[in-house]
Amino acid sequence: MRPIAPAPLLAAGLTVLASAFVAGTTLLAKMLGTGTLGPALNPLQVSQGRFVFAFAALLIGAAVLRPRFTAPAWPMHVLRVFFGWGGVSFMFAAAAFIPLSDATAISFLNPVVAMLLAIPLLGETVGRVRIAAALIAVAGALILLRPTPEAFQPAALLALGAALFLGSELIVLKRLSGREGPLQILLVNNLIGMGISSAAAALVWQMPTPAQWAALAGVGGLMVSAQICFIHAIARADASFVSPFWYVTLVFASLYDFAVFRVVPDGISVLGAVVIVAGAGLLAWRQARLGRGRESAAAPLPGAVPPQRDSRESR
């Protein structure tokens, strides 16, 4: 296969577009979970829709592209999907109760979770810079939790749960992405996810309205579109260049929340988001420095962005 020519501006545009799509999935989940489009759907049913429609879109893509597949590492896929499904379900639940900007910002703690898990599971060592970055991001999360009796947001703990699950998913994905291609990973991920989410959704399932069916299809379609955009982005520019543009997701989440629900982030939300992004950004910057300085057989620092020039990373 011919190498893809670097195109930083295109990569930045694709990452911003992916951010808009990801924020869109959270907006649709909030609309489905708050009764905006009909009787409120349980987050487990919204997660099911995300996997079912994403798998259908990927299956069509695979039929057209006809990629070469290898034998999947099923145990790793199942573990990865379990964490991904849990993270998505917690995220969709949080979006129904707190501002989208808060839920999105707290979920950005997933690189911190992954970094901490990488120490015992991947044998990584963590220096002072990365420890400082983790503490900064955690401080931002505490700000968004508003830990006072008068202002505490219990639902923010759902977003924190999403970060824990998604960070764990990144650890498994680091192992998996070096063995299989991106389309295969996405297909197997959504196939297993469809089974797990359908079993869980059967306990709470209710017939969606026509508008809710459309929104569920939108959640799956937007998620796949975001994955495709980001894979193409990191094939055209270094992750260290692309990663800052990923945080535009917060801007889109705030804009969507205002446009549909008239929610305006307050000063605490803005401060907490800025602190979390600063910590996560410092992690990404440090990993970029480490990546340029040496080649390592160990998996790279897990984070919100894939390793440099590795188009096999997916979400």
Side-chain angles (χ1 to χ4, degrees):
M1 184 174 62
R2 295 168 57 186
I4 298 176
L9 291 180
L10 177 59
L14 287 170
T15 305
V16 171
L17 186 58
S19 300
F21 289 152
V22 168
T25 65
T26 313
L27 172 67
L28 291 176
K30 181 169 185 172
M31 295 174 71
L32 289 163
T34 55
T36 304
L37 303 175
L41 298 183
N42 189 283
L44 294 177
Q45 188 171 350
V46 179
S47 295
Q48 179 201 28
R50 171 255 184 271
F51 281 107
V52 169
F53 286 104
F55 178 73
L58 289 166
L59 198 60
I60 294 172
V64 174
L65 298 175
R66 297 182 180 276
R68 177 178 297 178
F69 293 130
T70 59
W74 290 107
M76 294 179 66
H77 277 289
V78 171
L79 188 60
R80 184 243 168 145
V81 171
F82 171 76
F83 287 132
W85 163 74
V88 168
S89 298
F90 274 116
M91 185 65 179
F92 288 166
F97 297 105
I98 62 177
L100 289 183
S101 57
D102 287 11
T104 303
I106 293 173
S107 73
F108 280 162
L109 282 175
N110 70 81
V112 177
V113 173
M115 182 197 75
L116 296 175
L117 290 176
I119 298 172
L121 297 180
L122 299 180
E124 292 187 1
T125 57
V126 178
R128 289 175 295 178
V129 174
R130 288 194 280 180
I131 291 175
L135 292 176
I136 291 172
V138 169
L142 289 175
I143 292 172
L144 289 178
L145 286 172
R146 295 167 169 81
T148 63
E150 298 80 13
F152 177 63
Q153 295 189 108
L157 296 175
L158 295 171
L160 186 59
L164 293 173
F165 271 88
L166 294 175
S168 301
E169 180 194 15
L170 283 172
I171 292 293
V172 181
L173 187 54
K174 296 300 176 182
R175 298 287 194 186
L176 189 60
S177 62
R179 304 182 181 191
E180 302 176 24
L183 184 54
Q184 176 172 321
I185 291 175
L186 291 174
L187 266 173
V188 175
N189 167 64
N190 285 279
L191 174 62
I192 300 174
M194 185 170 58
I196 293 176
S197 62
S198 295
L203 302 174
V204 297
W205 201 86
Q206 64 187 60
M207 179 62 70
T209 65
Q212 288 175 330
W213 277 119
L216 289 170
V219 171
L222 287 174
M223 187 62 73
V224 170
S225 298
Q227 292 168 338
I228 292 172
C229 286
F230 197 56
I231 285 173
H232 282 283
I234 61 174
R236 289 166 172 80
D238 290 343
S240 58
F241 172 80
V242 168
S243 59
F245 295 98
W246 190 249
Y247 298 115
V248 180
T249 306
L250 281 170
V251 177
F252 284 114
S254 298
L255 290 175
Y256 295 163
D257 216 12
F258 175 76
V260 178
F261 296 100
R262 296 298 182 217
V263 174
V264 179
D266 58 17
I268 294 178
S269 294
V270 173
L271 176 61
V274 169
V275 173
I276 287 178
V277 169
L282 181 57
L283 280 176
W285 170 82
R286 181 57 177 168
Q287 176 56 23
R289 291 285 301 272
L290 293 174
R292 284 195 296 265
R294 59 183 171 84
E295 292 291 331
S296 174
L301 170 68
V305 295
Q308 292 185 355
R309 303 300 182 101
D310 185 355
S311 62
R312 294 171 297 189
E313 182 87 23
S314 56
R315 170 105 176 227

